[in-house]
Amino acid sequence: MRVGVLTGGGDCPGLNAVIRGIVRKGTQEYGYEFTGYRDGWRGPLDGVTVPLDIPAVRGILPRGGTILGSSRTNPLKEEDGIRRIKENLAKHEVDALIAIGGEDTLGVAARLSGEYGIPCVGVPKTIDNDLSATDYTFGFDTAVNIATEAIDRLHTTAESHMRVLVVEVMGRHAGWIALHSGLAGGANAILIPEQRFDLDQVCAWVESRFKIRYAPIVVVAEGAMPKDGEMVLKDGSLDSFGHVRLSGVGEWLAKQIESRTGQEARTTVLGHVQRGGTPSAFDRWLATRFGLHAIDAVHEGDFGNMVALRGTDVVRVPIAEATAKLKTVDPKLYEEIGVFFG
């Protein structure tokens, strides 16, 4: 049996650990051969492959990014996309696909498996931790650690200059990174997409800190919105999945805080720094387990499903179910940490 493997969407710490787990177990226990597809769904669409065997996965466990490359290609919007994928799979004698990605990449896998008869198994990947069918996605822990370290460092410069520092982190629809890193880093306000924020309240929190000679840190997710405004966009362009490019809410917020309070405010946008570098121990552990269980699902012919973490167990859930609804921050959880605001 020959299995194709691809990584789609944004890059993420732990992708290489999944690939390694799949190839090691698939080769050693099941005698499978593997074909690596380059650059997400662009690989099977255009027939671009790379060798994928045990020598190819040696030493990649601690490496960030993905040795297969990635893209946000949507084959469902390409002319004759399904036909081209089927022809290339047949050409490369690939019997099944393992798709590693977030809601968009797995959404394609769900349709290919459910509607077009292409055997697919999914592995959840997103630093946003916003897939509802799994307790955690790999990459999230690393992103939170990076953001937390940045906030720790920013405290000292904020206090040295007695200025407001606004830290913009990733999070289009879900504020998990902002919530976890903001709490762990001792932020004085955390703004997330799930809860529209009151600008007057944010300014009041900022001013309350200056009254006790303490420079405030405000952590804001890129998708957070004010009560009386809209999402701040980098530009109006859309990717192939229809997503707008976010970035700018941190800069906008800093200007608003400075004009309303008279206190100097600066912005740090962490951006892709959160995605890069070596994965944390937890992400290596989780990604490796996902890879092992994904190849087991292929071996058992359990297609159309995604591996997921429930407690400490790795289970399987339908890909379509896993991508139907995002996992967002519960209002009660957000209220719980509000004691630290201001």
Side-chain angles (χ1 to χ4, degrees):
M1 188 172 187
R2 181 174 289 275
V3 180
V5 182
L6 64 85
T7 54
D11 67 295
C12 172
L15 283 167
N16 288 324
V18 180
I19 298 167
R20 174 177 173 269
I22 290 169
V23 173
R24 286 287 297 272
K25 186 167 188 178
T27 302
Q28 293 173 197
E29 293 200 13
Y30 300 134
Y32 291 166
E33 295 180 341
F34 292 89
T35 293
Y37 281 107
R38 283 288 310 178
D39 304 328
W41 288 112
R42 177 62 61 189
L45 194 64
D46 292 342
V48 183
T49 67
V50 294
L52 197 57
D53 52 19
I54 287 182
V57 300
R58 286 189 183 128
I60 67 172
L61 178 63
R63 285 175 57 182
T66 164
I67 62 169
L68 297 179
S70 190
S71 73
R72 296 190 183 278
T73 301
N74 184 354
L76 302 177
K77 289 191 175 182
E78 296 282 336
E79 184 176 356
D80 295 329
I82 304 303
R83 177 189 60 79
R84 289 160 61 188
I85 286 177
K86 285 185 173 182
E87 287 181 354
N88 283 317
L89 292 179
K91 177 183 176 181
H92 301 134
E93 299 180 334
V94 169
D95 303 295
L97 270 176
I98 297 178
I100 311 167
E103 58 171 320
D104 296 324
T105 300
L106 295 182
V108 171
R111 291 195 60 187
L112 293 182
S113 186
E115 299 177 28
Y116 301 104
I118 299 175
C120 294
V121 168
V123 176
K125 174 260 357 161
T126 168
I127 65 170
D128 290 336
N129 198 40
D130 58 0
L131 288 176
S132 61
T134 183
D135 289 349
Y136 283 97
T137 54
F138 65 88
F140 171 68
D141 184 69
T142 303
V144 168
N145 287 341
I146 292 170
T148 300
E149 181 180 356
I151 296 167
D152 286 345
R153 291 175 180 273
L154 289 169
H155 272 293
T156 56
T157 191
E159 291 165 7
S160 296
H161 296 275
M162 286 306 292
R163 60 167 64 120
V164 186
L165 282 182
V166 177
V167 185
E168 182 183 311
V169 300
M170 286 184 169
R172 178 181 295 271
H173 300 298
W176 293 108
I177 294 177
L179 192 76
H180 282 242
S181 64
L183 181 62
N188 307 113
I190 302 170
L191 312 178
I192 61 176
E194 295 88 341
Q195 302 280 335
R196 283 183 174 259
F197 60 87
D198 184 330
L199 195 53
D200 290 334
Q201 178 63 75
V202 174
C203 290
W205 286 333
V206 165
E207 290 179 317
S208 72
R209 304 310 288 176
F210 279 107
K211 289 178 181 178
I212 58 172
R213 296 290 299 168
Y214 190 91
I217 299 283
V218 178
V219 175
V220 57
E222 61 185 351
M225 292 180 284
K227 285 184 176 180
D228 301 320
E230 298 299 326
M231 187 177 289
V232 179
L233 307 180
K234 188 177 185 66
D235 56 48
S237 62
L238 303 176
D239 65 19
S240 62
F241 290 96
H243 298 310
V244 294
R245 296 177 65 191
L246 299 183
S247 185
V249 66
E251 189 66 34
W252 176 86
L253 183 61
K255 290 179 180 177
Q256 292 293 319
I257 290 173
E258 189 166 298
S259 66
R260 289 171 179 244
T261 67
Q263 301 289 349
E264 184 181 4
R266 299 289 180 86
T267 307
T268 297
V269 181
L270 296 185
H272 291 85
V273 170
Q274 296 156 90
R275 292 190 180 279
T278 187
S280 67
F282 177 81
D283 280 342
R284 298 184 203 189
W285 175 87
L286 180 59
T288 298
R289 292 191 69 202
F290 276 169
L292 300 177
H293 284 262
I295 197 62
D296 285 344
V298 170
H299 182 67
E300 295 169 19
D302 199 4
F303 301 115
N305 285 323
M306 179 193 88
V307 294
L309 184 70
R310 298 281 177 82
T312 57
D313 296 327
V314 177
V315 300
R316 299 173 195 165
V317 296
I319 302 176
E321 175 187 315
T323 57
K325 181 182 178 182
L326 290 178
K327 179 177 66 180
T328 54
V329 175
D330 188 322
K332 292 182 179 179
L333 179 58
Y334 185 70
E335 182 182 350
E336 179 181 298
I337 68 168
V339 66
F340 295 107
F341 297 173

